[in-house]
Coordinates of all heavy atoms in Angstrom, one line a residue:
M23 N 12.3 -23.3 -122.1 CA 10.8 -23.1 -122.0 C 10.6 -21.9 -121.1 O 11.1 -21.6 -120.2 CB 10.3 -24.4 -121.2 CG 8.8 -24.5 -121.2 SD 8.3 -26.0 -120.3 CE 8.4 -25.5 -118.7
A24 N 9.4 -21.2 -121.5 CA 9.0 -20.0 -120.8 C 8.5 -20.3 -119.3 O 7.7 -21.3 -119.3 CB 8.0 -19.2 -121.6
V25 N 8.9 -19.6 -118.4 CA 8.5 -19.9 -117.1 C 7.9 -18.7 -116.5 O 8.4 -17.6 -116.6 CB 9.8 -20.4 -116.1 CG1 9.5 -20.5 -114.7 CG2 10.4 -21.7 -116.7
P26 N 6.8 -18.7 -115.8 CA 6.1 -17.6 -115.2 C 7.0 -16.9 -114.2 O 7.7 -17.6 -113.3 CB 4.9 -18.2 -114.5 CG 4.7 -19.6 -114.8 CD 6.0 -20.1 -115.5
K27 N 7.1 -15.6 -114.2 CA 7.9 -14.8 -113.3 C 7.2 -14.7 -112.1 O 8.0 -14.6 -110.9 CB 8.1 -13.5 -113.9 CG 9.4 -12.7 -113.4 CD 9.6 -11.6 -114.4 CE 11.2 -11.3 -114.4 NZ 11.5 -10.2 -115.3
H28 N 5.9 -14.6 -112.0 CA 5.3 -14.4 -110.6 C 4.2 -15.4 -110.5 O 3.5 -15.8 -111.4 CB 4.7 -13.0 -110.6 CG 5.7 -11.9 -110.7 ND1 6.6 -11.6 -109.5 CD2 6.1 -11.1 -111.6 CE1 7.4 -10.7 -109.9 NE2 7.1 -10.3 -111.2
R29 N 4.0 -15.8 -109.2 CA 2.9 -16.6 -108.8 C 1.6 -15.9 -109.1 O 1.4 -14.8 -108.6 CB 3.2 -17.1 -107.4 CG 2.0 -17.9 -106.9 CD 2.4 -18.3 -105.5 NE 1.2 -18.7 -104.6 CZ 1.3 -19.1 -103.4 NH1 2.5 -19.2 -102.8 NH2 0.3 -19.4 -102.7
K30 N 0.5 -16.6 -109.6 CA -0.8 -16.0 -109.8 C -1.5 -16.0 -108.5 O -1.3 -16.8 -107.7 CB -1.6 -16.9 -110.8 CG -1.1 -16.9 -112.2 CD -2.0 -15.9 -113.0 CE -1.7 -16.0 -114.4 NZ -0.4 -15.5 -114.9
S31 N -2.3 -14.9 -108.3 CA -3.0 -14.7 -107.0 C -4.0 -15.9 -106.9 O -4.5 -16.4 -107.9 CB -3.6 -13.5 -106.9 OG -4.6 -13.4 -107.9
K32 N -4.5 -16.1 -105.6 CA -5.5 -17.0 -105.5 C -6.8 -16.6 -106.2 O -7.5 -17.4 -106.8 CB -6.0 -17.1 -103.9 CG -5.0 -18.0 -103.1 CD -5.4 -18.1 -101.7 CE -4.9 -17.2 -100.9 NZ -5.1 -17.3 -99.4
A33 N -7.0 -15.3 -106.2 CA -8.3 -14.8 -107.0 C -8.1 -15.1 -108.5 O -9.1 -15.6 -109.1 CB -8.4 -13.4 -106.8
K34 N -7.0 -15.0 -109.1 CA -6.8 -15.3 -110.5 C -7.0 -16.8 -110.7 O -7.7 -17.2 -111.7 CB -5.3 -14.9 -110.8 CG -5.2 -13.5 -111.3 CD -5.4 -13.3 -112.8 CE -5.3 -11.9 -113.2 NZ -5.9 -11.5 -114.4
T35 N -6.3 -17.6 -109.9 CA -6.4 -19.1 -110.1 C -8.0 -19.4 -110.0 O -8.4 -20.3 -110.7 CB -5.7 -19.8 -109.0 OG1 -4.3 -19.3 -109.1 CG2 -5.7 -21.3 -109.1
R36 N -8.6 -19.0 -108.9 CA -10.0 -19.4 -108.7 C -11.0 -18.8 -109.7 O -11.9 -19.5 -110.1 CB -10.5 -18.8 -107.2 CG -9.7 -19.7 -106.2 CD -10.0 -19.2 -104.8 NE -9.3 -19.9 -103.8 CZ -9.0 -19.4 -102.5 NH1 -9.6 -18.2 -102.1 NH2 -8.4 -20.1 -101.6
S37 N -10.7 -17.7 -110.3 CA -11.6 -17.1 -111.2 C -11.4 -17.9 -112.6 O -12.4 -18.2 -113.4 CB -11.5 -15.6 -111.5 OG -10.4 -15.4 -112.3
R38 N -10.1 -18.3 -112.8 CA -10.0 -19.2 -114.0 C -10.8 -20.6 -113.8 O -11.5 -21.0 -114.7 CB -8.5 -19.4 -114.3 CG -8.2 -20.5 -115.3 CD -6.7 -20.6 -115.7 NE -5.8 -20.3 -114.7 CZ -5.3 -21.2 -113.8 NH1 -5.9 -22.4 -113.8 NH2 -4.5 -20.9 -112.7
R39 N -10.5 -21.1 -112.6 CA -11.2 -22.5 -112.5 C -12.7 -22.3 -112.4 O -13.4 -23.3 -112.8 CB -10.7 -23.1 -111.1 CG -9.2 -23.5 -111.2 CD -8.6 -24.0 -110.0 NE -7.2 -24.3 -110.3 CZ -6.4 -24.7 -109.2 NH1 -6.8 -24.6 -108.0 NH2 -5.2 -24.9 -109.4
A40 N -13.2 -21.3 -112.0 CA -14.6 -21.0 -111.9 C -15.3 -21.2 -113.3 O -16.4 -21.8 -113.4 CB -15.0 -19.6 -111.3
N41 N -14.6 -20.7 -114.4 CA -15.1 -20.9 -115.7 C -14.7 -22.2 -116.3 O -15.5 -22.8 -117.0 CB -14.6 -19.7 -116.6 CG -15.6 -18.5 -116.5 OD1 -16.8 -18.8 -116.8 ND2 -15.3 -17.4 -116.1
H42 N -13.5 -22.6 -116.0 CA -12.9 -23.8 -116.8 C -13.4 -25.2 -116.3 O -13.6 -26.0 -117.0 CB -11.4 -23.7 -116.7 CG -10.7 -24.9 -117.5 ND1 -10.4 -26.0 -116.9 CD2 -10.5 -25.0 -118.8 CE1 -9.8 -26.9 -117.7 NE2 -9.9 -26.3 -119.0
D43 N -13.6 -25.2 -115.0 CA -13.9 -26.4 -114.3 C -15.4 -26.7 -114.0 O -15.8 -27.6 -113.3 CB -13.1 -26.5 -112.9 CG -11.6 -26.6 -113.2 OD1 -11.1 -26.6 -114.3 OD2 -10.9 -26.5 -112.2
K44 N -16.2 -25.7 -114.5 CA -17.5 -25.9 -114.1 C -18.2 -26.9 -114.9 O -17.9 -27.2 -116.0 CB -18.3 -24.5 -114.2 CG -18.5 -24.0 -115.7 CD -19.1 -22.7 -115.6 CE -19.1 -22.0 -117.0 NZ -19.4 -20.6 -117.0
I45 N -19.3 -27.5 -114.3 CA -20.0 -28.6 -115.0 C -21.2 -28.0 -115.7 O -21.9 -27.3 -115.0 CB -20.4 -29.6 -113.9 CG1 -19.2 -30.3 -113.2 CG2 -21.2 -30.7 -114.5 CD1 -19.5 -31.0 -112.0
T46 N -21.4 -28.3 -116.9 CA -22.6 -27.9 -117.6 C -23.5 -28.9 -118.0 O -23.0 -30.1 -118.1 CB -22.0 -27.2 -118.9 OG1 -21.2 -28.0 -119.7 CG2 -21.4 -25.8 -118.7
A47 N -24.7 -28.7 -118.1 CA -25.7 -29.6 -118.6 C -25.4 -30.2 -119.9 O -25.0 -29.5 -120.8 CB -27.1 -29.1 -118.5
P48 N -25.6 -31.5 -120.2 CA -25.3 -32.0 -121.4 C -26.4 -31.4 -122.5 O -27.5 -31.2 -122.1 CB -25.5 -33.5 -121.3 CG -26.3 -33.7 -120.1 CD -26.1 -32.5 -119.3
N49 N -25.9 -31.3 -123.8 CA -26.7 -31.0 -124.8 C -27.8 -32.2 -125.1 O -27.5 -33.4 -124.9 CB -26.0 -31.0 -126.2 CG -25.4 -29.6 -126.4 OD1 -26.0 -28.7 -125.8 ND2 -24.4 -29.5 -127.2
L50 N -29.0 -31.9 -125.2 CA -30.0 -32.8 -125.6 C -30.8 -32.5 -126.9 O -31.1 -31.4 -127.2 CB -31.0 -33.0 -124.4 CG -30.5 -33.6 -123.2 CD1 -31.6 -33.6 -122.1 CD2 -29.9 -35.0 -123.5
Q51 N -30.8 -33.4 -127.8 CA -31.7 -33.3 -129.0 C -32.6 -34.5 -129.0 O -32.5 -35.4 -128.3 CB -30.7 -33.4 -130.2 CG -29.8 -32.1 -130.3 CD -28.8 -32.3 -131.3 OE1 -28.7 -33.2 -131.9 NE2 -28.0 -31.2 -131.4
R52 N -33.6 -34.3 -130.0 CA -34.7 -35.3 -130.0 C -34.1 -36.4 -130.9 O -33.6 -36.2 -132.0 CB -36.0 -34.6 -130.7 CG -36.6 -33.8 -129.7 CD -37.9 -34.3 -129.1 NE -38.4 -33.6 -128.1 CZ -38.6 -34.0 -126.8 NH1 -38.3 -35.2 -126.5 NH2 -39.1 -33.2 -126.0
C53 N -34.4 -37.6 -130.6 CA -34.1 -38.8 -131.3 C -35.0 -38.7 -132.6 O -36.2 -38.6 -132.5 CB -34.3 -40.1 -130.5 SG -34.3 -41.5 -131.6
P54 N -34.5 -38.8 -133.8 CA -35.4 -38.8 -135.0 C -36.3 -40.1 -135.1 O -37.1 -40.0 -135.9 CB -34.4 -38.7 -136.2 CG -33.1 -39.1 -135.6 CD -33.1 -38.8 -134.2
H55 N -35.9 -41.1 -134.4 CA -36.6 -42.3 -134.4 C -37.7 -42.4 -133.5 O -38.9 -42.7 -133.9 CB -35.6 -43.5 -134.3 CG -36.3 -44.9 -134.5 ND1 -36.6 -45.7 -133.6 CD2 -36.6 -45.4 -135.8 CE1 -37.2 -46.7 -134.2 NE2 -37.1 -46.6 -135.5
C56 N -37.5 -42.1 -132.2 CA -38.5 -42.2 -131.2 C -38.8 -41.0 -130.5 O -39.6 -40.9 -129.7 CB -38.2 -43.3 -130.1 SG -36.8 -42.8 -129.1
Y57 N -38.2 -39.8 -130.8 CA -38.4 -38.4 -130.2 C -38.0 -38.4 -128.8 O -38.4 -37.3 -128.1 CB -39.8 -38.0 -130.5 CG -40.0 -37.9 -132.1 CD1 -40.6 -38.9 -132.7 CD2 -39.4 -36.7 -132.8 CE1 -40.8 -38.8 -134.1 CE2 -39.7 -36.7 -134.1 CZ -40.4 -37.7 -134.8 OH -40.5 -37.5 -136.1
A58 N -37.3 -39.3 -128.2 CA -37.0 -39.2 -126.8 C -35.7 -38.3 -126.7 O -35.0 -38.3 -127.8 CB -36.6 -40.6 -126.2
P59 N -35.4 -37.5 -125.7 CA -34.2 -36.7 -125.7 C -33.0 -37.6 -125.6 O -32.9 -38.6 -124.9 CB -34.4 -36.0 -124.4 CG -35.5 -36.5 -123.7 CD -36.3 -37.4 -124.6
K60 N -32.0 -37.3 -126.5 CA -30.8 -38.0 -126.5 C -29.6 -37.0 -126.9 O -29.8 -36.0 -127.2 CB -30.8 -39.1 -127.7 CG -30.7 -38.5 -129.1 CD -30.5 -39.7 -130.0 CE -29.6 -39.5 -131.0 NZ -28.5 -38.6 -131.1
R61 N -28.4 -37.5 -126.4 CA -27.2 -36.6 -126.6 C -26.8 -36.7 -128.1 O -26.9 -37.9 -128.6 CB -26.1 -37.0 -125.6 CG -26.4 -36.9 -124.3 CD -25.3 -37.1 -123.2 NE -24.3 -36.1 -123.5 CZ -23.1 -36.0 -122.8 NH1 -22.9 -37.0 -122.1 NH2 -22.2 -35.1 -123.1
P62 N -26.3 -35.7 -128.7 CA -25.8 -35.7 -130.0 C -24.5 -36.6 -130.2 O -23.8 -36.8 -129.3 CB -25.5 -34.3 -130.4 CG -25.3 -33.6 -129.1 CD -26.1 -34.2 -128.1
H63 N -24.5 -37.3 -131.3 CA -23.4 -38.3 -131.6 C -23.4 -39.4 -130.7 O -22.4 -40.1 -130.6 CB -22.0 -37.6 -131.6 CG -21.9 -36.4 -132.4 ND1 -22.0 -36.4 -133.8 CD2 -22.0 -35.0 -132.1 CE1 -21.9 -35.1 -134.1 NE2 -22.0 -34.3 -133.0
R64 N -24.5 -39.8 -130.0 CA -24.6 -41.0 -129.2 C -25.9 -41.7 -129.7 O -26.9 -41.1 -130.3 CB -24.8 -40.6 -127.8 CG -23.8 -39.8 -127.2 CD -22.4 -40.6 -127.0 NE -21.5 -39.9 -126.2 CZ -20.7 -38.9 -126.6 NH1 -20.8 -38.5 -127.8 NH2 -19.9 -38.4 -125.7
A65 N -25.7 -43.1 -129.6 CA -26.9 -43.8 -129.9 C -28.1 -43.6 -129.0 O -27.8 -43.2 -127.7 CB -26.6 -45.4 -129.8
C66 N -29.3 -43.6 -129.3 CA -30.4 -43.2 -128.5 C -30.6 -44.3 -127.5 O -30.6 -45.5 -127.7 CB -31.7 -43.2 -129.4 SG -33.1 -42.9 -128.4
L67 N -30.7 -44.0 -126.2 CA -30.8 -45.0 -125.1 C -32.2 -45.6 -125.0 O -32.4 -46.5 -124.3 CB -30.3 -44.4 -123.8 CG -28.8 -44.1 -123.7 CD1 -28.5 -43.4 -122.4 CD2 -28.0 -45.3 -123.8
D68 N -33.1 -44.9 -125.7 CA -34.6 -45.4 -125.6 C -34.8 -46.4 -126.7 O -35.5 -47.4 -126.3 CB -35.5 -44.1 -125.8 CG -36.3 -43.9 -124.6 OD1 -35.6 -43.6 -123.5 OD2 -37.5 -44.0 -124.5
C69 N -34.4 -46.2 -127.9 CA -34.6 -47.2 -128.9 C -33.3 -47.8 -129.5 O -33.5 -48.8 -130.3 CB -35.5 -46.5 -130.1 SG -34.6 -45.2 -130.9
G70 N -32.2 -47.4 -129.1 CA -31.0 -48.1 -129.7 C -30.6 -47.7 -131.0 O -29.7 -48.2 -131.6
Y71 N -31.2 -46.6 -131.5 CA -30.9 -46.3 -133.0 C -29.9 -45.2 -133.2 O -29.9 -44.3 -132.3 CB -32.3 -45.8 -133.6 CG -33.0 -46.9 -134.2 CD1 -33.6 -47.9 -133.5 CD2 -33.1 -47.1 -135.7 CE1 -34.3 -48.9 -134.1 CE2 -33.9 -48.0 -136.3 CZ -34.4 -49.1 -135.5 OH -35.1 -50.1 -136.1
Y72 N -29.0 -45.3 -134.2 CA -28.2 -44.2 -134.4 C -28.1 -44.2 -136.1 O -27.8 -45.2 -136.6 CB -26.7 -44.4 -133.8 CG -25.8 -43.3 -134.1 CD1 -26.2 -42.0 -133.3 CD2 -24.8 -43.3 -134.9 CE1 -25.4 -41.0 -133.6 CE2 -24.0 -42.3 -135.1 CZ -24.2 -41.1 -134.4 OH -23.4 -39.9 -134.7
R73 N -28.3 -43.0 -136.6 CA -28.3 -42.9 -138.0 C -29.2 -44.0 -138.7 O -28.8 -44.7 -139.6 CB -26.9 -42.9 -138.6 CG -26.1 -41.8 -138.1 CD -24.6 -41.8 -138.5 NE -24.5 -41.5 -140.0 CZ -23.5 -41.5 -140.7 NH1 -22.4 -41.9 -140.1 NH2 -23.4 -41.3 -142.0
D74 N -30.5 -44.0 -138.3 CA -31.5 -44.8 -139.0 C -31.2 -46.3 -138.8 O -31.6 -47.1 -139.7 CB -31.7 -44.5 -140.4 CG -32.2 -43.1 -140.5 OD1 -32.9 -42.5 -139.6 OD2 -31.9 -42.3 -141.5
E75 N -30.4 -46.7 -137.8 CA -29.9 -48.2 -137.7 C -30.0 -48.6 -136.3 O -29.3 -47.7 -135.5 CB -28.6 -48.3 -138.4 CG -28.3 -49.7 -139.0 CD -26.9 -49.7 -139.5 OE1 -26.5 -48.8 -140.3 OE2 -26.2 -50.8 -139.3
Q76 N -30.5 -49.7 -136.0 CA -30.3 -50.1 -134.6 C -28.9 -50.6 -134.3 O -28.4 -51.5 -135.0 CB -31.4 -51.3 -134.3 CG -31.3 -51.7 -132.9 CD -32.7 -52.0 -132.4 OE1 -33.5 -52.6 -133.1 NE2 -33.0 -51.8 -131.0
V77 N -28.3 -50.0 -133.4 CA -26.9 -50.2 -133.0 C -26.7 -50.9 -131.6 O -25.7 -51.6 -131.5 CB -26.0 -49.1 -133.3 CG1 -25.8 -48.6 -134.7 CG2 -26.5 -47.9 -132.4
I78 N -27.6 -50.7 -130.9 CA -27.6 -51.3 -129.6 C -29.0 -52.0 -129.2 O -29.9 -51.5 -129.7 CB -27.1 -50.5 -128.4 CG1 -27.9 -49.2 -128.3 CG2 -25.6 -50.2 -128.5 CD1 -27.6 -48.3 -127.2
E79 N -28.9 -53.0 -128.4 CA -30.1 -53.7 -128.1 C -30.7 -53.1 -126.9 O -29.9 -53.0 -125.9 CB -29.9 -55.2 -128.0 CG -31.2 -56.1 -128.1 CD -30.8 -57.6 -127.9 OE1 -29.7 -58.0 -128.4 OE2 -31.6 -58.3 -127.5
I80 N -31.9 -52.8 -126.8 CA -32.5 -52.2 -125.6 C -33.3 -53.3 -125.0 O -34.2 -53.8 -125.7 CB -33.4 -50.9 -125.9 CG1 -32.6 -49.9 -126.7 CG2 -34.0 -50.3 -124.6 CD1 -31.4 -49.3 -125.9
W81 N -33.1 -53.5 -123.8 CA -33.8 -54.5 -122.9 C -34.9 -53.7 -122.2 O -34.8 -52.8 -121.4 CB -33.0 -55.2 -122.0 CG -32.0 -56.0 -122.6 CD1 -30.9 -55.6 -123.4 CD2 -31.9 -57.5 -122.5 NE1 -30.2 -56.6 -123.9 CE2 -30.8 -57.8 -123.4 CE3 -32.5 -58.5 -121.9 CZ2 -30.3 -59.1 -123.5 CZ3 -32.1 -59.8 -122.1 CH2 -31.0 -60.2 -122.9
E82 N -36.2 -54.2 -122.5 CA -37.3 -53.6 -121.8 C -37.4 -54.2 -120.4 O -37.6 -55.4 -120.2 CB -38.6 -53.9 -122.6 CG -38.6 -53.3 -124.0 CD -38.8 -51.8 -124.2 OE1 -39.3 -51.2 -123.3 OE2 -38.4 -51.4 -125.3
L83 N -37.3 -53.4 -119.4 CA -37.4 -53.8 -118.0 C -38.7 -53.4 -117.4 O -38.8 -52.4 -116.6 CB -36.2 -53.2 -117.3 CG -34.9 -53.5 -117.7 CD1 -33.8 -52.8 -117.1 CD2 -34.6 -55.1 -117.7
Y84 N -39.7 -54.0 -117.7 CA -41.1 -53.8 -117.1 C -41.4 -54.8 -116.1 O -41.3 -56.1 -116.4 CB -42.1 -53.7 -118.2 CG -42.0 -52.6 -119.1 CD1 -41.5 -52.6 -120.4 CD2 -42.5 -51.2 -118.5 CE1 -41.4 -51.5 -121.1 CE2 -42.3 -50.0 -119.3 CZ -41.7 -50.1 -120.6 OH -41.6 -49.1 -121.4
Ligands
LIG12 ZN1 -34.8 -43.2 -130.1

């Protein structure tokens, strides 16, 4: 197995982590059923719909 010859500097390590470990805001798209913002490939948390079908039950907490 290839092994690094030299230890990376603190600056190299930190600049790599600055891009790799950063937290980004989640993608948000409109739910086609209720138009609330939702994450792609997830059931809508407002109406419980995914691909024109109710897949989770939403309890109205008023
Ligand atoms: Zn929805």
Side-chain angles (χ1 to χ4, degrees):
M23 192 178 83
V25 171
K27 203 167 208 174
H28 296 289
R29 175 177 157 174
K30 290 264 193 285
S31 68
K32 279 187 267 186
K34 275 273 181 196
T35 301
R36 286 168 185 170
S37 81
R38 168 169 39 81
R39 287 177 184 169
N41 270 307
H42 181 265
D43 299 349
K44 72 183 166 193
I45 298 170
T46 53
N49 273 340
L50 287 178
Q51 289 165 2
R52 292 256 168 235
C53 168
H55 188 256
C56 70
Y57 297 101
K60 71 174 225 18
R61 298 187 66 182
H63 308 289
R64 302 289 192 279
C66 174
L67 290 176
D68 247 61
C69 64
Y71 270 68
Y72 187 68
R73 297 177 71 184
D74 301 330
E75 204 180 321
Q76 184 147 32
V77 291
I78 49 174
E79 197 176 332
I80 305 295
W81 294 63
E82 304 283 341
L83 300 173
Y84 290 104

